[in-house]
Amino acid sequence: MRIHCRTFRLLLPFLESLPRHCSSASISANGRTAPCKHVLLISCRRLQSTDSGPASRPVIDQVTVLGHAYPRDDFTNVTEKILTKVGRNLHNQSHHPLWLIKERIKAHFYSSYIGRHGNPLFSVHDNLSPVVTVEQNFDSLLIAPDHPSRNRGDNYYINRATMLRAHTSAHQRELVRSGLDAFLLAGDVYRRDEIDGSHYPVFHQMEGVRLFSNHQLFSKVDNGQDLSLFESGGRRTPHKQEAHTLEAVKLVEHDLKKTLTHLVTHLFGAEVEVRWVECYFPFTHPSFEMEVRFQGDWLEVLGCGVMEQEVVNSAGAANKLGWAFGLGLERLAMVLFSIPDIRLFWSQDERFLTQFVLPDIHQPVRFQPLSKYPLLQNDISFWLPAEEIDDGRASFSQNDFYELVRTVGGDLVERVTLVDDFTHPRSGRRSLCFRVVYRHMERTLTQEEVRLVHQEIERQAERQLGVQGRY
């Protein structure tokens, strides 16, 4: 599809509003923002022809991320727009609100947990590449091959063997294998998800791991020399794993909950109420979610548990037992700083960023809203592909549609909501209607800008998803 001069001029304000995070960003001839060369290079062999049909579209056989090239295959679904986020590392940008949360957590652990020689007990790792193997992201954490979290529709795959990490836990094994017993890990993670004010395809996590030897765990317990981390012939119960003694698990669980209660008290204040909810994770048992009472409601802030011994063993620490936790930095920052929309974390607007330039990272700060620009909304309705009803195979994924909307509309899209799901009584064909809400974070959008973007979403939905428009 060619973009004519008049259309390009109308789209130019939108294109100019996109984040510029390095000097090499540019607007290419087709009206799209070209990503920074040091963030994304796509090596391709292009067919030499016009854009007269599908056969003439460029053939791209490699994706290069952060200087490393990966072959494409039938599983590749990572988009250029997502790859432009790789390397931004908001959690490492000084005085960014995500950096501020990370530094507060880091400072708390540094000051509260000191090793035998006076140095911090926990090391911090916040610059590991988000490109991981599927084995790291899933198999190393005992996530079963048929587990729904592996779905292509929920993750960004570079190819069948490589992906953008869906959680920072993908690095647990390599850090434990390197000899670390206590560490914090922060980084950007990537998941295909719905579109609203609290979901974004890139967000940031921070997690902690601590391992204990027999001596470390029982040294302060009377007759601790007679106790053991492990037992043979044990059985799994809701309270422990097969290999663990109940005494060891209870001590580790107590240390975990005490550590995390101390952390949230530091972040939320001494009067915060905490409660624990039992839950399930494939890589910990027993597992818990921590909730805090905030402004009258119970708010989930993190997940944690006793590490599955198989995970610890595979990392070469079979003589130790440990705990792990993980939390979302955006979630904490939105609550603690009263940030209403997750898209704001990617804003380059100085009115947003300068609010978090503080002389002391522990100084209280509350986000002062920028001018609330008006929203514009359009609906899009379409029939799903006919093969969905012909052979009973689900050929349409809502996450595919959300990803398409993000790719075309970018951060202009505030929210996408399914407002109607209709099945024709005679033909059996299914129709969906989505409402797309547009709002720019830094200026007022025009109806003409939104109309052009929305029409492109309609065109691309038919072209890429095989749907039939009802507009």
Side-chain angles (χ1 to χ4, degrees):
M1 184 191 72
R2 299 183 184 276
I3 297 182
H4 298 288
C5 293
R6 176 174 176 270
T7 303
F8 179 77
R9 286 197 299 271
L10 290 167
L11 282 173
L12 190 56
F14 156 60
L15 294 168
E16 289 177 338
S17 71
L18 295 174
R20 293 187 176 94
H21 51 276
C22 74
S23 59
S24 62
S26 61
I27 303 297
S28 62
N30 64 2
R32 293 180 180 173
T33 302
C36 297
K37 293 180 180 178
H38 75 279
V39 174
L40 166 65
L41 296 171
I42 296 190
S43 304
C44 60
R45 302 189 184 102
R46 299 184 180 275
L47 298 176
Q48 301 299 317
S49 61
T50 65
D51 30 26
S52 58
S56 67
R57 290 196 292 272
V59 176
I60 303 173
D61 59 11
Q62 284 187 333
V63 179
T64 305
V65 189
L66 299 176
H68 297 277
Y70 304 89
R72 296 173 62 92
D73 60 24
D74 61 322
F75 234 59
T76 304
N77 67 353
V78 66
T79 64
E80 289 190 33
K81 186 173 288 291
I82 290 300
L83 287 173
T84 61
K85 308 291 187 183
V86 178
R88 289 286 300 275
N89 295 330
L90 301 183
H91 61 290
N92 287 338
Q93 294 183 17
S94 294
H95 302 291
H96 191 279
L98 298 180
W99 172 88
L100 198 58
I101 289 289
K102 183 198 73 173
E103 290 299 308
R104 288 183 179 183
I105 296 172
K106 186 170 78 172
H108 167 74
F109 274 88
Y110 274 3
S111 63
S112 301
Y113 304 96
I114 307 298
R116 287 181 297 174
H117 303 293
N119 54 308
L121 180 65
F122 285 81
S123 58
V124 177
H125 309 266
D126 56 13
N127 203 29
L128 297 177
S129 171
V131 179
V132 298
T133 65
V134 171
E135 195 274 339
Q136 282 177 290
N137 198 80
F138 296 119
D139 298 296
S140 74
L141 296 166
L142 310 181
I143 298 173
D146 59 350
H147 196 278
S149 66
R150 291 179 180 252
N151 287 346
R152 185 171 177 269
D154 295 333
N155 299 283
Y156 289 104
Y157 284 92
I158 296 173
N159 53 42
R160 282 187 172 269
T162 317
M163 63 188 297
L164 296 178
R165 64 187 170 209
H167 41 218
T168 50
S169 303
H171 301 284
Q172 271 188 18
R173 186 178 62 186
E174 65 188 90
L175 291 177
V176 172
R177 184 172 285 166
S178 70
L180 298 176
D181 284 346
F183 58 84
L184 300 175
L185 169 63
D188 44 336
V189 298
Y190 299 77
R191 294 182 196 170
R192 300 171 98 221
D193 210 337
E194 58 192 298
I195 302 176
D196 58 32
S198 61
H199 291 86
Y200 201 80
V202 190
F203 57 103
H204 298 75
Q205 286 185 336
M206 191 165 191
E207 69 177 72
V209 167
R210 186 170 185 186
L211 301 179
F212 300 87
S213 66
N214 209 87
H215 172 73
Q216 288 170 327
L217 190 61
F218 296 121
S219 61
K220 296 182 181 179
V221 177
D222 290 341
N223 300 315
Q225 68 276 8
D226 299 327
L227 300 176
S228 176
L229 299 178
F230 308 109
E231 64 179 5
S232 59
R235 63 186 183 90
R236 179 171 291 243
T237 73
H239 307 291
K240 62 180 286 294
Q241 298 172 36
E242 302 92 319
H244 298 161
T245 64
L246 186 59
E247 297 86 2
V249 170
K250 288 303 180 184
L251 282 175
V252 170
E253 181 183 323
H254 173 75
D255 186 84
L256 169 63
K257 291 181 176 180
K258 181 179 70 174
T259 299
L260 295 178
T261 300
H262 194 194
L263 172 63
V264 299
T265 299
H266 170 72
L267 295 174
F268 286 86
E271 304 303 318
V272 68
E273 295 181 60
V274 173
R275 73 179 182 186
W276 299 94
V277 179
E278 293 185 2
C279 63
Y280 167 78
F281 301 117
F283 34 86
T284 56
H285 180 80
S287 303
F288 311 94
E289 288 176 345
M290 173 196 265
E291 297 180 349
V292 299
R293 194 162 184 81
F294 185 76
Q295 296 182 347
D297 294 319
W298 286 103
L299 175 73
E300 177 198 332
V301 293
L302 58 84
C304 62
V306 177
M307 295 175 68
E308 283 284 354
Q309 194 59 37
E310 187 176 341
V311 173
V312 181
N313 293 350
S314 69
N319 63 328
K320 296 176 181 177
L321 183 153
W323 55 246
F325 74 85
L327 53 82
L329 294 179
E330 277 89 348
R331 181 68 177 273
L332 284 178
M334 292 177 78
V335 172
L336 293 172
F337 303 150
S338 300
I339 297 175
D341 194 306
I342 197 169
R343 292 175 298 162
L344 278 165
F345 291 109
W346 296 89
S347 174
Q348 299 296 299
D349 193 327
E350 289 298 314
R351 294 174 300 167
F352 172 73
L353 296 173
T354 55
Q355 294 187 36
F356 302 94
V357 178
L358 307 175
D360 179 356
I361 63 170
H362 299 293
Q363 178 179 317
V365 59
R366 184 181 179 87
F367 171 64
Q368 299 301 314
L370 311 178
S371 299
K372 189 72 171 181
Y373 296 100
L375 63 83
L376 296 172
Q377 63 183 35
N378 285 358
D379 290 353
I380 176 171
S381 299
F382 45 74
W383 295 106
L384 297 189
E387 63 265 23
E388 176 165 289
I389 60 172
D390 288 344
D391 60 11
R393 178 172 54 88
S395 60
F396 175 84
S397 164
Q398 288 191 29
N399 274 356
D400 288 341
F401 176 68
Y402 296 147
E403 188 63 28
L404 184 149
V405 173
R406 287 192 189 279
T407 299
V408 177
D411 287 353
L412 292 185
V413 180
E414 178 175 287
R415 184 171 63 256
V416 178
T417 307
L418 178 65
V419 294
D420 185 59
D421 187 340
F422 167 74
T423 300
H424 195 283
R426 292 184 179 177
S427 67
R429 294 192 69 184
R430 185 180 173 203
S431 168
L432 301 179
C433 177
F434 292 90
R435 180 156 297 153
V436 184
V437 175
Y438 300 88
R439 192 199 312 262
H440 202 291
M441 303 300 295
E442 299 165 9
R443 63 178 177 82
T444 300
L445 286 173
T446 67
Q447 288 282 1
E448 183 68 1
E449 284 179 284
V450 168
R451 183 182 67 81
L452 289 170
V453 173
H454 199 76
Q455 287 178 343
E456 183 63 15
I457 291 173
E458 293 172 340
R459 283 192 291 268
Q460 293 302 325
E462 292 189 344
R463 176 186 171 193
Q464 297 184 33
L465 305 181
V467 302
Q468 180 182 347
R470 299 182 67 190
Y471 29 82

